[in-house]
């Protein structure tokens, strides 16, 4: 793939895919037509030069290929009426054919993928594939399932939509809140892939993180009386504010304790903490409120040594009670260790390991804790297990450095 086409893929694929799905009302047709358009761009752009509006060129090419595909199908006369909307030109790409309740094409599609007739795991998979533009492999890693399992899940979900006649449009205003939990999950998973990539050469994918934050703002405007969208937005803003300090000049992962806090973005940190003023810290706090409170504790610490790890461990305990997530338990174990109890942290990690097979962070955390407890032989085996599982090169290099520099005993 040429450099210009590769850049266009990174910048425009998710939005164009969402537009095509909402206009064509068929997932496979949208995906195949857009793939054909990018394949044509590889040949045409190298020969004729990059167009002034790459997104418009790609949208027009995909649209024409979609029409050609439908005309070749046996059910031509039944399916062509689905395409009776104005074909997009080469100018600015805009949405069409969906309701006005939600003003962003990708947000509309994300809400549509949250239809209650779909199973929760299918909703998340569809939202991340067609609303956020992630690959099947990326979604599988985020959802902690094998790639073939995720591919089958997506196929079943698309068939369910076609067979049940589920409309690919924004829900009525009264139904928005009922689909909120699934949408928040998808937006946060999208942010997570941007914040800490699950595969590839780079640890950070800032464009994905920024897109998730943009969707978070849209949700906050759409549902101003709902506390969890505000909490999720605060969480994402606070975490993203640390992006420049999370890798060094060579792209290597930098631990939170070793980050240059002068490289954190103070305006964004203040904004995240201001958003938290609208979120109550009480027994009714939701998942994202608790996670945002944890992020705020890190933001408030002037130095790593000044971090209130006991408070963070307590927040993680509340979060685990609410979610039952093994990933939360693993994070809680880290916080407990930093608060001074490595033995308890190791016990928590062992419990999390049973529910997170194949996750490289489990043996990595276990190795750190075993080193602190003076069990160097077991720690070495755990480091090796983590290195076999890690998928990104920055994290691989980080694990190699940590394995070579044992942590002090607690």
């Amino acid at each position: 793939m040429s450099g210009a086409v590769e850049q266009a893929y990174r910048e425009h694929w998710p939005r164009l895919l969402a537009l095509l799905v909402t206009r064509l009302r068929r997932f496979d047709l949208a995906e195949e037509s857009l793939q054909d358009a990018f394949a044509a761009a590889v040949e045409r752009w190298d020969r004729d030069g990059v167009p002034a509006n790459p997104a418009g060129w790609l949208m027009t090419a995909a649209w024409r290929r979609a029409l050609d595909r439908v005309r070749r199908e046996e059910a031509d006369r039944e399916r062509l009426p689905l395409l009776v909307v104005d074909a997009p030109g080469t100018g600015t790409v805009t949405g069409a054919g969906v309701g006005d309740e939600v003003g962003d094409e990708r947000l509309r599609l994300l809400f549509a993928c949250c239809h209650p007739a779909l199973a929760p795991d299918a909703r998340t998979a569809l939202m991340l594939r067609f609303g956020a533009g992630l690959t099947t492999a990326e979604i599988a890693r985020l959802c902690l399932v094998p790639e073939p399992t995720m591919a089958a899940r997506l196929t079943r979900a698309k068939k369910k939509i076609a067979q049940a006649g589920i409309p690919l449009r924004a829900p009525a205003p009264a139904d928005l809140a009922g689909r909120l939990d699934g949408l928040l999950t998808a937006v946060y998973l999208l942010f997570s892939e941007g914040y800490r990539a699950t595969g590839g050469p780079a640890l950070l994918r800032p464009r994905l993180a920024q897109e998730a934050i943009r969707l978070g703002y849209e949700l906050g405007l759409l549902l101003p009386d709902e506390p969890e969208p505000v909490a999720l937005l605060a969480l994402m803003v606070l975490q993203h504010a640390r992006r420049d300090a999370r890798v060094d000049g060579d792209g290597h992962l930098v631990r939170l304790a070793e980050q240059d806090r002068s490289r954190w973005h103070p305006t964004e940190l203040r904004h995240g903490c201001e958003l938290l003023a609208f979120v109550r810290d009480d027994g009714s706090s939701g998942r994202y409120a608790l996670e945002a409170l944890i992020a705020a504790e890190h933001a408030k610490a002037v130095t790593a040594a000044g971090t209130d790890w006991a408070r963070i461990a307590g927040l993680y305990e509340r979060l685990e009670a609410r979610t039952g997530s093994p990933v939360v338990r693993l994070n809680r174990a880290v916080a407990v260790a930093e608060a001074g109890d490595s033995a308890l942290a190791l016990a928590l990690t062992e419990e999390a390991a049973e529910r997170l097979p194949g996750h490289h962070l489990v043996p990595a955390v276990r190795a750190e804790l075993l080193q602190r407890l003076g069990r160097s032989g077991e720690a070495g085996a755990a480091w090796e297990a983590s290195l076999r599982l890690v998928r990104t090169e920055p994290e691989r290099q980080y694990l190699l450095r940590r394995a070579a520099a044992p942590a002090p005993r607690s």
Side-chain angles (χ1 to χ4, degrees):
M1 186 181 294
S2 70
V5 177
E6 186 175 355
Q7 181 179 352
Y9 182 88
R10 290 195 304 267
E11 294 181 0
H12 303 303
W13 171 275
R15 184 165 60 102
L16 293 178
L17 184 60
L19 277 167
L20 285 165
V21 170
T22 53
R23 288 175 171 181
L24 297 171
R25 300 172 177 84
R26 290 174 52 191
F27 289 97
D28 287 339
L29 180 61
E31 193 167 19
E32 292 166 3
S33 300
L34 189 56
Q35 287 171 345
D36 286 350
F38 273 93
V42 172
E43 177 184 350
R44 294 280 300 277
W45 294 7
D46 283 344
R47 185 187 68 202
D48 302 336
V50 180
N53 182 358
W57 190 100
L58 290 162
M59 187 64 176
T60 298
W63 186 262
R64 289 172 177 165
R65 281 157 178 76
L67 290 174
D68 289 342
R69 284 177 182 273
V70 172
R71 291 188 181 106
R72 289 196 302 264
E73 294 175 354
E74 292 182 359
D76 184 51
R77 281 180 291 182
E78 293 181 7
R79 290 172 174 162
L80 274 177
L82 295 177
L83 303 179
V84 182
V85 296
D86 293 336
T90 57
T92 303
V93 177
T94 58
V98 290
D100 294 330
E101 296 88 353
V102 183
D104 178 88
E105 293 90 351
R106 293 174 70 180
L107 202 56
R108 281 198 293 264
L109 182 58
L110 287 169
F111 266 115
C113 290
C114 290
H115 196 282
L118 296 168
D121 57 358
R123 296 176 208 164
T124 300
L126 282 174
M127 285 187 285
L128 291 172
R129 180 72 190 104
F130 294 97
L134 298 187
T135 66
T136 302
E138 289 168 341
I139 301 167
R141 291 195 296 267
L142 281 169
C143 296
L144 306 176
V145 299
E147 185 176 348
T149 300
M150 182 53 65
R153 185 178 297 175
L154 283 164
T155 298
R156 287 195 302 270
K158 288 184 285 187
K159 287 181 178 179
K160 173 75 172 180
I161 286 175
Q163 293 168 355
I166 294 173
L168 292 177
R169 61 171 183 265
D175 296 330
L176 291 177
R179 302 190 190 185
L180 183 60
D181 285 347
L183 183 52
L184 292 175
T185 297
V187 171
Y188 191 35
L189 284 171
L190 175 63
F191 176 81
S192 298
E193 180 63 20
Y195 179 78
R196 191 173 190 142
T198 55
L203 179 71
L204 310 181
R205 300 177 66 181
R207 194 177 299 279
L208 288 183
Q210 290 162 1
E211 175 62 15
I213 290 172
R214 188 188 68 80
L215 290 171
Y217 277 109
E218 293 285 347
L219 280 173
L221 292 172
L222 189 65
L223 299 165
D225 296 327
E226 294 285 344
E228 281 293 85
V230 178
L232 175 58
L233 179 59
L235 168 61
M236 294 189 296
V237 169
L238 287 168
Q239 290 181 322
H240 194 54
R242 302 198 301 266
R243 59 191 176 277
D244 290 344
R246 295 185 58 236
V247 293
D248 62 19
D250 296 321
H252 294 151
L253 173 65
V254 180
R255 300 173 71 202
L256 180 61
E258 298 166 356
Q259 288 176 13
D260 178 358
R261 299 189 177 214
S262 69
R263 300 188 66 199
W264 291 3
H265 293 253
T267 301
E268 295 174 27
L269 291 174
R270 284 195 299 271
H271 181 49
C273 291
E274 288 167 358
L275 287 168
L276 269 181
F278 298 95
V279 178
R280 291 185 301 175
D281 179 16
D282 55 24
S284 66
S285 298
R287 168 192 172 183
Y288 300 109
L290 291 168
E291 292 198 48
L293 290 168
I294 292 168
E297 287 298 322
H298 291 299
K300 291 186 293 186
V302 177
T303 64
T307 305
D308 189 347
W309 283 107
R311 159 85 168 150
I312 291 173
L315 288 168
Y316 271 125
E317 186 174 10
R318 290 168 56 190
L319 183 60
E320 184 185 357
R322 174 170 285 276
T323 65
S325 166
V327 175
V328 172
R329 170 158 290 198
L330 189 63
N331 285 321
R332 178 187 165 198
V334 173
V336 167
E338 294 297 334
D341 194 338
S342 295
L344 174 57
L346 182 60
L348 292 170
T349 302
E350 302 288 11
E351 293 170 5
E354 297 176 4
R355 297 170 58 197
L356 287 172
H359 199 307
H360 76 279
L361 287 178
V362 175
V365 171
R366 188 170 181 271
E368 291 267 10
L369 296 172
L370 288 168
Q371 284 179 331
R372 293 187 183 199
L373 294 168
R375 295 158 61 178
S376 58
E378 294 172 83
W383 284 124
E384 291 177 5
S386 184
L387 285 165
R388 286 195 298 270
L389 296 170
V390 69
R391 292 180 178 272
T392 66
E393 188 58 28
E395 289 194 282
R396 178 182 300 279
Q397 294 301 320
Y398 164 76
L399 292 174
L400 288 169
R401 292 196 305 275
R402 292 301 304 153
R409 297 184 186 185
S410 59

